[in-house]
Amino acid sequence: MGGLLFGIDPNPVVDLEEMWRYQFMQHAFEAGTVIAILAGCTGYFVVLRRSAFTAHAFSEIGFAGAAAAVLLSVAPILGLLAGSILGGLGIAALGRRAANRDTQIGIVLAFSLGLGLLFISLYSGYETEAYSILFGEILGISSGAVELTVAACAAILAFLGFLYRPLLFASLDEEVAEAKGMPMLFLGTAFMLIVAVAVSFSVQVTGVLLIFSLMVTPAATATYIARRPQRAIVISVAISLFAVWLGLFVAFFTPYPVSFFITAIVFGLYLAVRLVSGGLRWRVSRENVRG
Amino acid sequence: MAISRGLPLEVGVAAPDLIVAKGVTSGYREKVVWRDADFAFGRGEFVAVIGPNGAGKTTLFRMLLGLQPALAGSIRILGAEPRRGNTRIGYVPQRHTIDSDTNIEAQELVRLGLSGKRWGFNPFGRSDQRAALDALEAVGATELARRPLGVLSGGELQRIFLAEALVSRPDILLLDEPLSNLDIRRETELLHLVNDVVRRRGVTALLIAHNINPLLPHLDKVMYIANGKVATGTPGKVLTSESLTSLYGIQVEVLRDPHGNVAIIGVEEHHGEGVDA
């Protein structure tokens, strides 16, 4: 036990001090924290409204935007935002009940990925750029990007808070909400825009392809733990934060990518919660059978 | 019949009707569903809306909810034009379901019936919670409050939806086929609950059903919609061979068995004729 595994000191305070000496780690923690909070909150509604596929589509449409931004020497986050917001407006226009929506989204996202591939290959720095957009590169985030991330995530979070009750109502009981005069088109569009922005910033941490690890898995896990939306959202945020913080910490001391650790942590938690809740249900049903 | 029931009003003093329709024609631009209907329902009346599929029962609800205008005639509801989002109307839509994997407590949905329209982040307050528990108690679903929506049976869900509609203390309840998918025992239970709400809270309930017989012990009025026409009145008046025959101009037979159950014969077969505008 004398040797240090990947240079991790048994005393975590020493490790944290070591980590905080680097500004890029501070930036990564700052951006990662606000992104985890936003993704954890938004993810609850993504799971409740069964919009996981839509969220994934945003990230891939955003990929085309990000690749175009790289080609034009603009910050990739701006391209991501432009791409996913455009996608969000398009999908909102289709309406929640539109038939064949999955198919249409699938068709558009395949084309977007292809377009992104073209833009990336037109750019000389092909591999590293594509890699960081597809799989995330939070460790390289600039201080300007951190400021933009914090400001935008805070604004979107406030907007989500404003919509909270009507959105919950419209997601849970669409027909009654509509009959009660709730503005369903506005709510649907506003939610799509929130998801588009949350996805764009989360892509910085997890990349386009691993977006579910922050936008879906923590919230899905939380819905197995809590039966009240507010509690589930708090748990979802806690899982996202835990995964991002621990992922950054472990990645700092190892040669492996942050996004891998984040996906592994949230997946592990999901499995554990499913096993425990499944076990409880099995025991309850067995006791019921016994009488 | 504008006399209120179950309310401490002086005998013989007529309360104003909550729903008044004069010469109403219902439908869409291309197709009239029914025409020239007159009806009025007072406070605390239990009304069954019956008739064959596609006769325009749900269309009636959509007009009362302000989701669809009348093609002709006038509707006054609570003394005003129907308008979307009227909190004094509680509504349970047809074929209303919740995804079976929704792991959210039933009382959350009931509370949203009250507070789902409020903007801004505000956690559920005590008064919301009290109102939700009160509505759940009114439908005998107190013990379901903390159960997840996804595991409730059809009858239990209907009671939760009823509580969701009742939580804002509406004056009018519109229930679109709440009895479909319920077995006879649950059907009887739910009807007793609705009747309880009507009598105790002085709520006017309109309930769409396929079969009028389980409703007959509770009803004040029946609204029979078929073949482009609407007959409204007490069951004893409307559900007779003479009244339906004269309304439809074809031979209609109302049969009664010794238990008081009725069967209407002759209108459904002609459904769809003479309906077009």
mmCIF file with all atom_site columns, all heavy atoms in Angstrom, chain B residues 113-127:
data_model
loop_
_atom_site.group_PDB
_atom_site.id
_atom_site.type_symbol
_atom_site.label_atom_id
_atom_site.label_alt_id
_atom_site.label_comp_id
_atom_site.label_asym_id
_atom_site.label_entity_id
_atom_site.label_seq_id
_atom_site.pdbx_PDB_ins_code
_atom_site.Cartn_x
_atom_site.Cartn_y
_atom_site.Cartn_z
_atom_site.occupancy
_atom_site.B_iso_or_equiv
_atom_site.pdbx_formal_charge
_atom_site.auth_seq_id
_atom_site.auth_comp_id
_atom_site.auth_asym_id
_atom_site.auth_atom_id
_atom_site.pdbx_PDB_model_num
ATOM 1   N N   . GLY B 1 113 ? -53.854 19.948 -9.932  1.00 0.00 ? 113 GLY B N   1
ATOM 2   C CA  . GLY B 1 113 ? -55.171 20.401 -10.353 1.00 0.00 ? 113 GLY B CA  1
ATOM 3   C C   . GLY B 1 113 ? -55.499 21.776 -9.798  1.00 0.00 ? 113 GLY B C   1
ATOM 4   O O   . GLY B 1 113 ? -56.298 22.520 -10.349 1.00 0.00 ? 113 GLY B O   1
ATOM 5   N N   . LEU B 1 114 ? -54.863 22.105 -8.697  1.00 0.00 ? 114 LEU B N   1
ATOM 6   C CA  . LEU B 1 114 ? -55.082 23.405 -8.063  1.00 0.00 ? 114 LEU B CA  1
ATOM 7   C C   . LEU B 1 114 ? -53.999 24.401 -8.466  1.00 0.00 ? 114 LEU B C   1
ATOM 8   O O   . LEU B 1 114 ? -54.278 25.557 -8.773  1.00 0.00 ? 114 LEU B O   1
ATOM 9   C CB  . LEU B 1 114 ? -55.060 23.222 -6.539  1.00 0.00 ? 114 LEU B CB  1
ATOM 10  C CG  . LEU B 1 114 ? -55.455 24.425 -5.709  1.00 0.00 ? 114 LEU B CG  1
ATOM 11  C CD1 . LEU B 1 114 ? -56.927 24.729 -5.896  1.00 0.00 ? 114 LEU B CD1 1
ATOM 12  C CD2 . LEU B 1 114 ? -55.179 24.146 -4.233  1.00 0.00 ? 114 LEU B CD2 1
ATOM 13  N N   . SER B 1 115 ? -52.752 23.946 -8.446  1.00 0.00 ? 115 SER B N   1
ATOM 14  C CA  . SER B 1 115 ? -51.638 24.903 -8.541  1.00 0.00 ? 115 SER B CA  1
ATOM 15  C C   . SER B 1 115 ? -50.887 24.799 -9.856  1.00 0.00 ? 115 SER B C   1
ATOM 16  O O   . SER B 1 115 ? -49.933 25.530 -10.063 1.00 0.00 ? 115 SER B O   1
ATOM 17  C CB  . SER B 1 115 ? -50.665 24.646 -7.400  1.00 0.00 ? 115 SER B CB  1
ATOM 18  O OG  . SER B 1 115 ? -50.171 23.332 -7.514  1.00 0.00 ? 115 SER B OG  1
ATOM 19  N N   . GLY B 1 116 ? -51.327 23.892 -10.745 1.00 0.00 ? 116 GLY B N   1
ATOM 20  C CA  . GLY B 1 116 ? -50.599 23.690 -12.002 1.00 0.00 ? 116 GLY B CA  1
ATOM 21  C C   . GLY B 1 116 ? -50.581 24.913 -12.890 1.00 0.00 ? 116 GLY B C   1
ATOM 22  O O   . GLY B 1 116 ? -49.810 24.985 -13.833 1.00 0.00 ? 116 GLY B O   1
ATOM 23  N N   . LYS B 1 117 ? -51.434 25.883 -12.594 1.00 0.00 ? 117 LYS B N   1
ATOM 24  C CA  . LYS B 1 117 ? -51.482 27.074 -13.438 1.00 0.00 ? 117 LYS B CA  1
ATOM 25  C C   . LYS B 1 117 ? -50.595 28.197 -12.913 1.00 0.00 ? 117 LYS B C   1
ATOM 26  O O   . LYS B 1 117 ? -50.481 29.227 -13.544 1.00 0.00 ? 117 LYS B O   1
ATOM 27  C CB  . LYS B 1 117 ? -52.935 27.594 -13.526 1.00 0.00 ? 117 LYS B CB  1
ATOM 28  C CG  . LYS B 1 117 ? -53.857 26.633 -14.251 1.00 0.00 ? 117 LYS B CG  1
ATOM 29  C CD  . LYS B 1 117 ? -55.243 27.207 -14.363 1.00 0.00 ? 117 LYS B CD  1
ATOM 30  C CE  . LYS B 1 117 ? -55.308 28.272 -15.438 1.00 0.00 ? 117 LYS B CE  1
ATOM 31  N NZ  . LYS B 1 117 ? -56.700 28.675 -15.712 1.00 0.00 ? 117 LYS B NZ  1
ATOM 32  N N   . ARG B 1 118 ? -50.004 27.987 -11.730 1.00 0.00 ? 118 ARG B N   1
ATOM 33  C CA  . ARG B 1 118 ? -49.212 29.072 -11.129 1.00 0.00 ? 118 ARG B CA  1
ATOM 34  C C   . ARG B 1 118 ? -47.806 29.122 -11.695 1.00 0.00 ? 118 ARG B C   1
ATOM 35  O O   . ARG B 1 118 ? -47.075 28.130 -11.643 1.00 0.00 ? 118 ARG B O   1
ATOM 36  C CB  . ARG B 1 118 ? -49.134 28.873 -9.613  1.00 0.00 ? 118 ARG B CB  1
ATOM 37  C CG  . ARG B 1 118 ? -50.287 29.538 -8.889  1.00 0.00 ? 118 ARG B CG  1
ATOM 38  C CD  . ARG B 1 118 ? -50.130 29.317 -7.402  1.00 0.00 ? 118 ARG B CD  1
ATOM 39  N NE  . ARG B 1 118 ? -51.337 28.707 -6.861  1.00 0.00 ? 118 ARG B NE  1
ATOM 40  C CZ  . ARG B 1 118 ? -51.362 27.900 -5.818  1.00 0.00 ? 118 ARG B CZ  1
ATOM 41  N NH1 . ARG B 1 118 ? -50.247 27.581 -5.215  1.00 0.00 ? 118 ARG B NH1 1
ATOM 42  N NH2 . ARG B 1 118 ? -52.491 27.410 -5.398  1.00 0.00 ? 118 ARG B NH2 1
ATOM 43  N N   . TRP B 1 119 ? -47.425 30.264 -12.192 1.00 0.00 ? 119 TRP B N   1
ATOM 44  C CA  . TRP B 1 119 ? -46.065 30.439 -12.703 1.00 0.00 ? 119 TRP B CA  1
ATOM 45  C C   . TRP B 1 119 ? -45.132 30.782 -11.557 1.00 0.00 ? 119 TRP B C   1
ATOM 46  O O   . TRP B 1 119 ? -45.555 31.241 -10.517 1.00 0.00 ? 119 TRP B O   1
ATOM 47  C CB  . TRP B 1 119 ? -46.018 31.551 -13.751 1.00 0.00 ? 119 TRP B CB  1
ATOM 48  C CG  . TRP B 1 119 ? -46.923 31.284 -14.900 1.00 0.00 ? 119 TRP B CG  1
ATOM 49  C CD1 . TRP B 1 119 ? -48.208 31.713 -15.036 1.00 0.00 ? 119 TRP B CD1 1
ATOM 50  C CD2 . TRP B 1 119 ? -46.653 30.495 -16.069 1.00 0.00 ? 119 TRP B CD2 1
ATOM 51  N NE1 . TRP B 1 119 ? -48.747 31.252 -16.211 1.00 0.00 ? 119 TRP B NE1 1
ATOM 52  C CE2 . TRP B 1 119 ? -47.815 30.510 -16.856 1.00 0.00 ? 119 TRP B CE2 1
ATOM 53  C CE3 . TRP B 1 119 ? -45.535 29.785 -16.512 1.00 0.00 ? 119 TRP B CE3 1
ATOM 54  C CZ2 . TRP B 1 119 ? -47.889 29.842 -18.080 1.00 0.00 ? 119 TRP B CZ2 1
ATOM 55  C CZ3 . TRP B 1 119 ? -45.614 29.125 -17.725 1.00 0.00 ? 119 TRP B CZ3 1
ATOM 56  C CH2 . TRP B 1 119 ? -46.775 29.157 -18.500 1.00 0.00 ? 119 TRP B CH2 1
ATOM 57  N N   . GLY B 1 120 ? -43.856 30.594 -11.810 1.00 0.00 ? 120 GLY B N   1
ATOM 58  C CA  . GLY B 1 120 ? -42.853 30.919 -10.803 1.00 0.00 ? 120 GLY B CA  1
ATOM 59  C C   . GLY B 1 120 ? -42.593 29.718 -9.935  1.00 0.00 ? 120 GLY B C   1
ATOM 60  O O   . GLY B 1 120 ? -43.484 28.901 -9.700  1.00 0.00 ? 120 GLY B O   1
ATOM 61  N N   . PHE B 1 121 ? -41.353 29.601 -9.462  1.00 0.00 ? 121 PHE B N   1
ATOM 62  C CA  . PHE B 1 121 ? -41.029 28.441 -8.641  1.00 0.00 ? 121 PHE B CA  1
ATOM 63  C C   . PHE B 1 121 ? -41.592 28.636 -7.252  1.00 0.00 ? 121 PHE B C   1
ATOM 64  O O   . PHE B 1 121 ? -41.220 29.513 -6.511  1.00 0.00 ? 121 PHE B O   1
ATOM 65  C CB  . PHE B 1 121 ? -39.516 28.231 -8.554  1.00 0.00 ? 121 PHE B CB  1
ATOM 66  C CG  . PHE B 1 121 ? -39.179 26.988 -7.794  1.00 0.00 ? 121 PHE B CG  1
ATOM 67  C CD1 . PHE B 1 121 ? -39.212 25.755 -8.421  1.00 0.00 ? 121 PHE B CD1 1
ATOM 68  C CD2 . PHE B 1 121 ? -38.891 27.033 -6.442  1.00 0.00 ? 121 PHE B CD2 1
ATOM 69  C CE1 . PHE B 1 121 ? -38.945 24.595 -7.722  1.00 0.00 ? 121 PHE B CE1 1
ATOM 70  C CE2 . PHE B 1 121 ? -38.620 25.872 -5.737  1.00 0.00 ? 121 PHE B CE2 1
ATOM 71  C CZ  . PHE B 1 121 ? -38.645 24.658 -6.383  1.00 0.00 ? 121 PHE B CZ  1
ATOM 72  N N   . ASN B 1 122 ? -42.584 27.818 -6.915  1.00 0.00 ? 122 ASN B N   1
ATOM 73  C CA  . ASN B 1 122 ? -43.078 27.844 -5.542  1.00 0.00 ? 122 ASN B CA  1
ATOM 74  C C   . ASN B 1 122 ? -43.342 26.426 -5.106  1.00 0.00 ? 122 ASN B C   1
ATOM 75  O O   . ASN B 1 122 ? -44.109 25.708 -5.732  1.00 0.00 ? 122 ASN B O   1
ATOM 76  C CB  . ASN B 1 122 ? -44.345 28.696 -5.407  1.00 0.00 ? 122 ASN B CB  1
ATOM 77  C CG  . ASN B 1 122 ? -45.226 28.584 -6.635  1.00 0.00 ? 122 ASN B CG  1
ATOM 78  O OD1 . ASN B 1 122 ? -45.034 27.669 -7.445  1.00 0.00 ? 122 ASN B OD1 1
ATOM 79  N ND2 . ASN B 1 122 ? -46.177 29.454 -6.786  1.00 0.00 ? 122 ASN B ND2 1
ATOM 80  N N   . PRO B 1 123 ? -42.686 25.998 -4.048  1.00 0.00 ? 123 PRO B N   1
ATOM 81  C CA  . PRO B 1 123 ? -42.944 24.637 -3.574  1.00 0.00 ? 123 PRO B CA  1
ATOM 82  C C   . PRO B 1 123 ? -44.385 24.551 -3.079  1.00 0.00 ? 123 PRO B C   1
ATOM 83  O O   . PRO B 1 123 ? -45.002 25.563 -2.759  1.00 0.00 ? 123 PRO B O   1
ATOM 84  C CB  . PRO B 1 123 ? -41.943 24.456 -2.434  1.00 0.00 ? 123 PRO B CB  1
ATOM 85  C CG  . PRO B 1 123 ? -41.516 25.823 -2.057  1.00 0.00 ? 123 PRO B CG  1
ATOM 86  C CD  . PRO B 1 123 ? -41.745 26.715 -3.221  1.00 0.00 ? 123 PRO B CD  1
ATOM 87  N N   . PHE B 1 124 ? -44.901 23.326 -3.057  1.00 0.00 ? 124 PHE B N   1
ATOM 88  C CA  . PHE B 1 124 ? -46.293 23.152 -2.641  1.00 0.00 ? 124 PHE B CA  1
ATOM 89  C C   . PHE B 1 124 ? -46.462 23.612 -1.202  1.00 0.00 ? 124 PHE B C   1
ATOM 90  O O   . PHE B 1 124 ? -45.747 23.193 -0.313  1.00 0.00 ? 124 PHE B O   1
ATOM 91  C CB  . PHE B 1 124 ? -46.690 21.682 -2.771  1.00 0.00 ? 124 PHE B CB  1
ATOM 92  C CG  . PHE B 1 124 ? -46.852 21.253 -4.187  1.00 0.00 ? 124 PHE B CG  1
ATOM 93  C CD1 . PHE B 1 124 ? -46.003 20.327 -4.739  1.00 0.00 ? 124 PHE B CD1 1
ATOM 94  C CD2 . PHE B 1 124 ? -47.847 21.806 -4.961  1.00 0.00 ? 124 PHE B CD2 1
ATOM 95  C CE1 . PHE B 1 124 ? -46.146 19.929 -6.055  1.00 0.00 ? 124 PHE B CE1 1
ATOM 96  C CE2 . PHE B 1 124 ? -48.005 21.409 -6.277  1.00 0.00 ? 124 PHE B CE2 1
ATOM 97  C CZ  . PHE B 1 124 ? -47.143 20.474 -6.826  1.00 0.00 ? 124 PHE B CZ  1
ATOM 98  N N   . GLY B 1 125 ? -47.449 24.478 -0.981  1.00 0.00 ? 125 GLY B N   1
ATOM 99  C CA  . GLY B 1 125 ? -47.676 25.000 0.353   1.00 0.00 ? 125 GLY B CA  1
ATOM 100 C C   . GLY B 1 125 ? -48.665 24.152 1.131   1.00 0.00 ? 125 GLY B C   1
ATOM 101 O O   . GLY B 1 125 ? -49.234 23.202 0.613   1.00 0.00 ? 125 GLY B O   1
ATOM 102 N N   . ARG B 1 126 ? -48.848 24.538 2.390   1.00 0.00 ? 126 ARG B N   1
ATOM 103 C CA  . ARG B 1 126 ? -49.749 23.784 3.257   1.00 0.00 ? 126 ARG B CA  1
ATOM 104 C C   . ARG B 1 126 ? -51.188 23.834 2.770   1.00 0.00 ? 126 ARG B C   1
ATOM 105 O O   . ARG B 1 126 ? -51.914 22.858 2.859   1.00 0.00 ? 126 ARG B O   1
ATOM 106 C CB  . ARG B 1 126 ? -49.681 24.353 4.678   1.00 0.00 ? 126 ARG B CB  1
ATOM 107 C CG  . ARG B 1 126 ? -48.409 23.936 5.359   1.00 0.00 ? 126 ARG B CG  1
ATOM 108 C CD  . ARG B 1 126 ? -48.701 23.430 6.753   1.00 0.00 ? 126 ARG B CD  1
ATOM 109 N NE  . ARG B 1 126 ? -47.444 22.993 7.356   1.00 0.00 ? 126 ARG B NE  1
ATOM 110 C CZ  . ARG B 1 126 ? -46.974 23.480 8.473   1.00 0.00 ? 126 ARG B CZ  1
ATOM 111 N NH1 . ARG B 1 126 ? -47.648 24.396 9.122   1.00 0.00 ? 126 ARG B NH1 1
ATOM 112 N NH2 . ARG B 1 126 ? -45.840 23.044 8.956   1.00 0.00 ? 126 ARG B NH2 1
ATOM 113 N N   . SER B 1 127 ? -51.629 25.006 2.261   1.00 0.00 ? 127 SER B N   1
ATOM 114 C CA  . SER B 1 127 ? -53.028 25.118 1.864   1.00 0.00 ? 127 SER B CA  1
ATOM 115 C C   . SER B 1 127 ? -53.308 24.226 0.656   1.00 0.00 ? 127 SER B C   1
ATOM 116 O O   . SER B 1 127 ? -54.373 23.626 0.557   1.00 0.00 ? 127 SER B O   1
ATOM 117 C CB  . SER B 1 127 ? -53.380 26.573 1.564   1.00 0.00 ? 127 SER B CB  1
ATOM 118 O OG  . SER B 1 127 ? -52.586 27.045 0.511   1.00 0.00 ? 127 SER B OG  1
#
